[in-house]
Amino acid sequence: MYLYQEANTPFHSLHPVTKLLMLLFCIVIPFLAKTFLVTAIILAFYVTLLLFARGAGNVKKFWKMLLIFWIFTFAIWSVVPKIRGSEWSFENAALLATRIDTFVLAGLLFVTITRIEEFTFALTRIGIPYKVAFTLSLGFRLVPLFYQNLQTIVAAQKSRGVDLESGGLSVKARKYGPMIAALISYSLRNADLMAMSLEAKGFGYPGKRTSYLEPKISWRDALVFVCIALILFTLLR
């Protein structure tokens, strides 16, 4: 479930702050696109970037979710404006649905090329306090951990003979209910252990904090800045 892909690509070698800036840029760009065709081109461009960043495996994991997001958003923006009697069109619904997928792909590209430590480092370098940056980075750490814990609980129940595959959706939901309760209990215990571990390591003590990461700005970062400026100039003029 960890989405970071260890690879030696130009994207991975970028400075963490550049990666964070690129994420913000990739989120803003679809808002500037006024037509479905331009938004679809941006979507294809993001997929291409992911492939070059060795993120094909992540695309395979999330393509079904992307398709569901697109269909669901398209259906909502096709029906709701018509019911309200406001202006609507299938092209506008497709534009908004495609824009949602570009946001997901932008985040997927970011987590594909950025380690958790780099994300925390970038946040501190733009002026966010370390405690806040660490708290935000916990989202990257805990979501895969929750998923891993759930897999462990499910495997343990299956080894005890619990049938989780048969039955309809409502039956499966009832079967998974006790496992969610076990997952919450397990997560609370892990949170308590994490708090004690952080206290033992001096988390929160005053003083300047050092980092083992010492990335340097390179010509690749400068090239990314130039490309961002050119794309923004083209779309805003």
Side-chain angles (χ1 to χ4, degrees):
M1 188 61 181
Y2 288 97
L3 301 179
Y4 174 74
Q5 301 296 314
E6 190 73 41
N8 186 21
T9 69
F11 298 102
H12 289 76
S13 60
L14 292 174
H15 193 278
V17 176
T18 304
K19 295 178 183 179
L20 187 60
L21 176 64
M22 192 167 67
L23 170 65
L24 298 176
F25 169 74
C26 289
I27 293 175
V28 170
I29 282 299
F31 282 108
L32 303 178
K34 303 300 182 182
T35 64
F36 167 69
L37 178 60
V38 176
T39 310
I41 292 174
I42 293 174
L43 179 70
F45 179 65
Y46 287 1
V47 173
T48 304
L49 290 180
L50 266 166
L51 296 179
F52 276 111
R54 303 292 189 270
N58 289 338
V59 175
K60 290 180 181 178
K61 290 179 183 177
F62 286 92
W63 74 267
K64 292 182 180 179
M65 184 185 72
L66 292 169
L67 181 61
I68 292 173
F69 280 174
W70 197 94
I71 295 174
F72 187 73
T73 307
F74 180 82
I76 289 177
W77 286 100
S78 297
V79 174
V80 173
K82 188 175 181 180
I83 294 176
R84 292 180 175 179
S86 56
E87 294 184 5
W88 70 280
S89 66
F90 288 122
E91 181 180 356
N92 187 55
L95 165 65
L96 296 172
T98 307
R99 185 176 289 168
I100 293 295
D101 277 2
T102 61
F103 298 155
V104 178
L105 286 173
L108 195 58
L109 174 63
F110 180 74
V111 298
T112 299
I113 64 176
T114 309
R115 290 177 293 169
I116 299 173
E117 296 80 8
E118 291 179 325
F119 178 58
T120 306
F121 180 86
L123 292 176
T124 56
R125 285 299 179 270
I126 63 175
I128 296 179
Y130 180 79
K131 289 183 180 180
V132 178
F134 181 81
T135 302
L136 292 174
S137 68
L138 281 179
F140 288 89
R141 300 176 188 272
L142 296 182
V143 171
L145 184 60
F146 287 159
Y147 181 76
Q148 195 174 44
N149 291 339
L150 180 60
Q151 284 184 318
T152 302
I153 294 172
V154 170
Q157 293 300 315
K158 287 183 177 180
S159 68
R160 291 175 171 85
V162 179
D163 182 14
L164 300 174
E165 304 300 330
S166 62
L169 183 60
S170 60
V171 175
K172 290 182 179 180
R174 287 196 298 270
K175 290 180 180 179
Y176 273 91
M179 294 184 210
I180 299 300
L183 177 63
I184 293 175
S185 301
Y186 195 72
S187 301
L188 291 174
R189 187 182 70 174
N190 284 343
D192 187 50
L193 293 174
M194 181 183 293
M196 290 189 292
S197 175
L198 291 174
E199 290 178 2
K201 294 178 180 178
F203 184 81
Y205 278 54
K208 185 177 180 180
R209 181 177 293 274
T210 59
S211 174
Y212 76 94
L213 291 176
E214 292 296 338
K216 305 294 183 182
I217 296 290
S218 66
W219 63 269
R220 291 189 179 91
D221 300 284
L223 182 60
V224 170
F225 295 146
V226 172
C227 291
I228 290 176
L230 290 176
I231 294 174
L232 287 175
F233 175 78
T234 302
L235 291 176
L236 291 176
R237 68 174 182 176

